[in-house]
Amino acid sequence: MPVSGDVPWPCAQHTGAKHDIYRRYLERWFPILLAGSNAYPSVTYAEGFSGPGVYSGGEDGSPVIAMRALIEKVPPNKGVARFAFIDDDQRCVDMLWDTLRAVFPDRPRPDTAMPLKIVKGTCAAHLEATLDIMKAWGQPIFANLDSWGNAPVPYRLLRRLAANVSSEVIVTLFPQHFVRFVSTQGEAADEVFGGDPNWRTVMDLAPAAKSRHILTCYREALHKAGFSYLLDFELIPRNGQPLYLVFGTGHPLGVKKMKDSLWEVDRAQGVGFRDPRDEQAETLFAFDEPQLGPLTRLLAHKLRESGPVRVQELRDFTLFETVYRPEHVIEALKPLRDQGALNVDGGGPLRIASLVSLAPAPSR
Ligand SMILES: C[S@@+](CC[C@H](N)C(=O)[O-])C[C@H]1O[C@@H](n2cnc3c(N)ncnc32)[C@H](O)[C@@H]1O
C-alpha cells in the first residue's frame, strides 16, 4: 500500500526508539557474522518495506541505519554484505536512491563487497525473488519487515527464512489493524498468521485482551514457521499508538543480543517498553531504573507452575520467555522473599545456584 500522504513523513516518537533498537542490534549482528570467530563469507540485510531512507526532519531511515552499522563496525576486507530494499511506493524508491547517494557520496565499499538492490513492488511479490537474484540464500539473512503494522508477508517466505542458516526476522505489528478490520478481512488475512484463522476470535474478546491475542497468534505463526526463539515487546510512546516488534531467530545468542539492544535504548526517546504477557501491563522503564514488578509477577507465576527450581532455571526462563534479562532475576525475586512468599533452600542469600520455591500461603 503506497504512502497515503507526503514522502518523506515525520519521524514519530516510537520510530526513533525502534531505530535505536535496529541500530544497536545491527551493530552487533554484522560484526558477529562477518568478523567473529565463526564468520560467514557473506550476509544479507533485507527490508520488505524500506521507506525512503530519510524522515522529514532529516532523521535517518532504517536502510541508512543498517548501512552505517556495517560500515562503522566491520572492516572493509571482511566478507560481503548484500542490501535488498523493497517498497511499493515509487516515491520511496526514488528518494531512497537519492538519500543513499547523498549520505554515502563516495561508495563506501565496491559493488562486489556491498551489492545493493532497490526494487519497486510489494514485499509479497518481490522480496523472495530479489533474495534469489542476489544469491542470498545459504548465507545469513536479517529480514526487517517494517510494514505499517499489517505485516503482509507471505508465510512461505517466513518459513524459508527460518530454514535458512543463521537467519532472523524482525516484524512490526499493529494489533489494532487486525482488531479493527477483522470483520471485513477475507481469508487472505489468515495468511499473515500462517493460514490459521484463530486470530479471528479476537472479535469475542474483551478490549483489554485483544492486542495480546493478536500478538500471541503472530508469535505462534512465527514459531510454526520455524523460528525457535522469539522476543516480542511493546513500545509505548507518551503520545500515540503502541507498536509491537516481534523478533524471531534460531539462536539463543540472537535473543540475548536483541535483548541487550532493547535495554540499552536511549531513555531520552521518551518511549517505554512493556512485556505483553504482564497482566498488569506495567511499563518497564518509565524512569531511570527498570521496573521489575512485571518480572516479579511472571516469576511468581512460573514458580507456582513449576515447583522448586534453581535460580539459573529462572534466568533461562527470563531470557527466553520475557523481555527481561537474566541479570534482573535475583533483584526481582527479592520482594517475594522479603514478603515471606519465597523459600530459599538452606536459607542464606539468593544466588544463581539457589533452589527456590513459593512458600505455602498462610492458612487463615
Ligand atoms: C513504516 S514504513 C517503513 C519505514 C522504514 N522501514 C524505516 O524505518 O525507515 C512502511 C513502508 O512500506 C511501504 N509499503 C506499504 N505496503 C507495502 C507492501 N505491501 N510492499 C512493499 N512496501 C510496502 C510504504 O510505502 C512505506 O514506505
Side-chain angles (χ1 to χ4, degrees), residues 151 240 320:
F320 295 120

Side-chain angles (χ1 to χ4, degrees), residues 1-3 9 15 18-19 22 47-53 55 60-63 86-89 92 121-124 144 146-148 152:
M1 213 197 316
V3 182
W9 55 88
T15 306
K18 183 177 71 176
H19 285 167
Y22 294 161
E47 293 210 31
F49 311 85
S50 66
Y55 285 78
D60 288 341
S62 51
I86 315 293
D87 200 290
D88 72 349
D89 188 317
C92 291
T122 63
C123 170
N144 182 348
D146 182 30
S147 67
W148 298 122

Side-chain angles (χ1 to χ4, degrees), residues 53-324:
V54 67
Y55 285 78
S56 56
E59 300 89 345
D60 288 341
S62 51
V64 173
I65 290 167
M67 284 191 170
R68 280 197 207 282
L70 170 81
I71 293 159
E72 286 171 15
K73 297 293 171 186
V74 180
N77 59 344
K78 296 279 184 189
V80 171
R82 298 177 203 85
F83 288 85
F85 298 119
I86 315 293
D87 200 290
D88 72 349
D89 188 317
Q90 187 66 51
R91 295 171 299 167
C92 291
V93 168
D94 295 342
M95 195 170 287
L96 181 54
W97 278 118
D98 293 345
T99 303
L100 294 181
R101 278 191 209 104
V103 176
F104 307 107
D106 303 316
R107 218 178 191 293
R109 309 260 157 117
D111 189 47
T112 45
M114 201 175 144
L116 162 68
K117 282 210 181 295
I118 303 180
V119 177
K120 189 232 170 236
T122 63
C123 170
H126 293 277
L127 182 52
E128 186 175 2
T130 304
L131 293 169
D132 288 343
I133 291 166
M134 295 185 90
K135 302 200 177 347
W137 301 101
Q139 296 285 300
I141 299 173
F142 183 93
N144 182 348
L145 303 170
D146 182 30
S147 67
W148 298 122
N150 52 336
V153 179
Y155 196 60
R156 172 198 143 85
L157 172 60
L158 293 175
R159 291 220 320 258
R160 198 168 168 197
L161 285 165
N164 194 54
V165 60
S166 293
S167 295
E168 303 183 333
V169 289
I170 187 155
V171 185
T172 305
L173 210 65
F174 265 120
Q176 253 344 86
H177 167 87
F178 297 94
V179 172
R180 202 174 311 140
F181 299 117
V182 60
S183 53
T184 55
Q185 288 192 343
E187 265 181 34
D190 297 350
E191 162 79 358
V192 172
F193 299 92
D196 188 339
N198 182 33
W199 71 278
R200 293 176 182 278
T201 58
V202 72
M203 281 201 278
D204 313 324
L205 299 175
K210 286 182 190 287
S211 288
R212 197 152 134 201
H213 175 69
I214 295 294
L215 200 60
T216 301
C217 291
Y218 197 72
R219 267 180 77 95
E220 277 165 13
L222 276 191
H223 198 251
K224 268 195 245 155
F227 292 101
S228 322
Y229 301 99
L230 301 169
L231 177 63
D232 53 288
F233 43 93
E234 185 180 348
L235 293 157
I236 324 150
R238 277 206 195 104
N239 35 39
Q241 289 269 9
L243 168 113
Y244 294 83
L245 293 181
V246 188
F247 170 68
T249 176
H251 294 269
L253 183 64
V255 182
K256 190 170 177 310
K257 296 291 171 197
M258 181 54 81
K259 211 170 265 195
D260 290 347
S261 308
L262 168 68
W263 281 92
E264 280 171 19
V265 161
D266 188 358
R267 308 297 193 273
Q269 303 280 356
V271 173
F273 294 87
R274 266 201 297 246
D275 190 309
R277 283 154 295 275
D278 178 37
E279 281 150 13
Q280 295 185 25
E282 189 178 330
T283 304
L284 296 190
F285 40 73
F287 313 104
D288 286 345
E289 288 299 311
Q291 308 293 301
L292 295 180
L295 181 58
T296 303
R297 289 190 284 277
L298 291 165
L299 292 173
H301 185 76
K302 164 85 181 151
L303 282 164
R304 211 167 291 127
E305 284 183 341
S306 68
V309 287
R310 300 262 169 219
V311 171
Q312 179 56 50
E313 203 174 311
L314 296 178
R315 285 167 57 95
D316 291 343
F317 162 79
T318 299
L319 176 62
F320 295 120
E321 304 286 338
T322 79
V323 300
Y324 287 91

Side-chain angles (χ1 to χ4, degrees), residues 334-356:
K334 283 181 183 167
L336 291 177
R337 187 197 54 192
D338 296 347
Q339 293 154 20
L342 186 79
N343 281 330
V344 183
D345 195 45
L350 274 164
R351 297 183 199 286
I352 291 177
S354 303
L355 185 67
V356 294

